C-alpha cells in the first residue's frame, strides 16, 4: 500500500477492455508485480511463485503481469521461459 487513495482519481478505463488488452479472460486471475526489475527487489522469486501457484490452484486460470523493467529483465525472461 502506498498511501494513495485511488478513489480520488476518476477512471475512464473499462475493466473488460483492459483485461482483454493484457490477454486475460474475464474469469482469469491476475497477479500484478509492479516495480523495478533489479536485484534488491528479488524478481527471481516470481517464477518460483508461479510454479507454486500451479500446484496450489491447478483448476484456476491465472497470469502474472510484470509492470516494470530494469537490469534483470533478460535474466527474468530466461527464467520464466525455462
Amino acid at each position: 500500500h502506498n498511501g494513495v487513495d485511488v478513489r480520488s482519481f476518476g477512471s475512464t478505463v473499462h475493466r473488460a477492455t483492459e483485461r482483454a488488452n493484457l490477454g486475460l479472460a474475464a474469469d482469469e486471475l491476475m497477479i500484478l508485480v509492479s516495480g523495478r526489475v533489479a536485484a534488491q527487489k528479488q524478481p527471481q522469486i516470481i517464477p518460483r511463485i508461479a510454479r507454486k501457484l500451479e500446484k496450489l490452484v491447478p483448476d484456476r486460470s491465472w497470469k502474472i503481469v510484470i509492470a516494470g523493467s530494469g537490469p534483470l529483465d533478460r535474466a527474468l525472461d530466461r527464467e520464466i521461459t525455462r
Side-chain angles (χ1 to χ4, degrees):
H1 186 271
N2 63 10
V4 175
D5 182 3
V6 296
R7 293 174 295 183
S8 64
F9 298 95
S11 177
T12 59
V13 175
H14 189 263
R15 184 171 191 241
T17 301
E18 291 306 315
R19 288 181 64 82
N21 288 340
L22 292 169
L24 295 163
D27 61 344
E28 193 169 29
L29 294 175
M30 177 183 75
I31 299 166
L32 175 64
V33 179
S34 175
R36 190 164 183 263
V37 183
Q40 63 268 45
K41 302 290 186 175
Q42 301 181 356
Q44 70 278 5
I45 67 169
I46 297 168
R48 284 186 267 167
I49 291 169
R51 287 190 289 274
K52 286 184 180 187
L53 279 172
E54 287 174 340
K55 291 176 184 173
L56 289 171
V57 287
D59 57 335
R60 190 70 195 258
S61 181
W62 54 270
K63 285 187 181 160
I64 295 177
V65 176
I66 300 171
S69 62
L72 295 180
D73 283 346
R74 288 185 187 153
L76 182 58
D77 286 343
R78 282 192 302 271
E79 181 66 23
I80 290 170
T81 57
R82 273 189 336 138

